[in-house]
Amino acid sequence: MAKRLLPLVLLLLGILPLSGCTHVLQVSQQAYGISLSVDKTESGEFMVAVKMPRLSGSSSGESTGEASDYMVADATASSFSEAMALLNATLPRTLNLSELKNVVVSDGVAQSAYFSDIITDMIEMITGIQLSQSAQLIVCTGSARDFIEQQQPTIGTRLSRAITEELNHYDWLGISRPTTLTDVYFQMNSLYGDTAVTLAALNSGQGNRPVAAGRTMDAYPGALPRNGDSQVEYMGSALLNSQQMVGVLTGLETQLLNLLSGEEISMHYMCDGRSLTLGSAGNPRIKVDCSADIPVIQIGLKITAGPAQKVTDTHQLMSLLQADILDLIAHCQSLGVEPFGFAQYAAKNFWFYKDFQDYHWPDKFKDAKIELDIDVTILEG
């Protein structure tokens, strides 16, 4: 118990000036973080880094947008909380994370058994260190510090706005899974399914992997066959259970996950050699029958497809989509993770919370039977 409390005590000592007990800090007295990263070093310690403006050009301390206007500072300690306390203590200004846009953790950290503890520590920091509740959690393959260091406003002048706009763009395409740190915490401590967060990586421009014809988004970040000013890539999602990361989805699989969740997306999809745009036509109809030993999940999915002149074979489109979606669900079943939200429908079969808890939905989902019905509406124009 004492070992568990020590990091929190150190963290509180590091952020005491923020509590308001001493004095009110002016904007010029604070360092406004835009991105925060968490890595595990080769020696087993935690390295926490924050990216912030060098110059103060607005009420949030945002700079004018040149690459040199931003700096990355880091600190390393034996625990995440201690590293955060050390980082705040060694910065020339008091760290303020109220404007934080993303929290980037390396896949090594996300896959570790202590990942859920780090998420809890971050949530406990929200009040003390003014951690933004809207900051998105992103899992990065490779070094998370290198990732935030390469984040630059390639279009526009402000990094905070650039990050927000690019994440919104990938959200609209459906190839990412925008999930706030707060949502991840509550999902990891809930019986009602698991969660998925955006997957990212740096592309060095070397060793790019070609994508299969007709499967443009069926890929992972880090080696996409493209060129541009930015090395930062978002493509796909990381699957999290109640403890840690257990697998990844490609961009295409993430798009299908978003369709199953009823998200409004504009999804590129190939059928019969033609490029179509798919979208959700409303929330899916989902029913879970738990009366037998093996649950049955019934899914009614309504989607839109267009342009009309390119949809030459609706039956083939539905068959392709059905195969891709069933493969996605089977993939998640094999990993023992359920990010679709089916659990909340399964819970309707039980009168009491304890009964649903004793049902062990994660185990039941692995063998669940899936009945999928897809209805396609063709968009004119």
Side-chain angles (χ1 to χ4, degrees), residues 202-209 222-228 230-231 233:
L202 289 178
N203 190 329
S204 63
Q206 300 177 351
N208 289 341
R209 293 189 298 267
L224 298 176
R226 58 96 196 180
N227 291 297
S230 176
Q231 297 181 27
E233 293 182 352

Side-chain angles (χ1 to χ4, degrees), residues 160-315:
S160 61
R161 180 177 293 275
I163 291 175
T164 299
E165 292 301 328
E166 67 183 10
L167 290 176
N168 288 340
H169 171 63
Y170 300 127
D171 178 21
W172 172 240
L173 295 178
I175 59 175
S176 69
R177 188 70 173 178
T179 312
T180 67
L181 180 67
T182 306
D183 287 340
V184 170
Y185 171 76
F186 284 114
Q187 201 68 32
M188 294 181 82
N189 290 276
S190 168
L191 287 180
Y192 301 104
D194 302 305
T195 190
V197 302
T198 299
L199 185 67
L202 289 178
N203 190 329
S204 63
Q206 300 177 351
N208 289 341
R209 293 189 298 267
V211 295
R215 310 289 289 184
T216 307
M217 305 300 172
D218 201 12
Y220 302 102
L224 298 176
R226 58 96 196 180
N227 291 297
D229 289 340
S230 176
Q231 297 181 27
V232 171
E233 293 182 352
Y234 301 90
M235 179 68 73
S237 51
L239 297 169
L240 312 177
N241 63 15
S242 61
Q243 296 295 321
Q244 62 205 120
M245 170 182 166
V246 294
V248 293
L249 299 179
T250 66
L252 175 60
E253 290 174 320
T254 303
Q255 289 177 315
L256 297 174
L257 171 59
N258 284 319
L259 276 183
L260 283 172
S261 303
E263 300 292 337
E264 292 187 11
I265 66 172
S266 179
M267 174 182 169
H268 167 80
Y269 195 74
M270 294 293 294
C271 178
D272 195 26
R274 299 172 184 268
S275 177
L276 308 178
T277 300
L278 307 184
S280 173
N283 292 325
R285 304 183 311 276
I286 299 175
K287 181 180 179 181
V288 180
D289 183 359
C290 297
S291 59
D293 186 54
I294 296 177
V296 178
I297 303 174
Q298 299 173 328
I299 307 169
L301 186 62
K302 290 186 177 182
I303 66 169
T304 60
Q309 61 269 26
K310 289 189 176 182
V311 185
T312 57
D313 191 335
T314 304
H315 178 74

Side-chain angles (χ1 to χ4, degrees), residues 97 166 171-172 332 337 364:
L97 300 179
E166 67 183 10
D171 178 21
W172 172 240
C332 291
V337 62
K364 294 292 187 179

Side-chain angles (χ1 to χ4, degrees), residues 334-345:
S334 68
L335 294 172
V337 62
E338 196 270 276
F340 308 100
F342 296 149
Q344 61 182 314
Y345 298 95

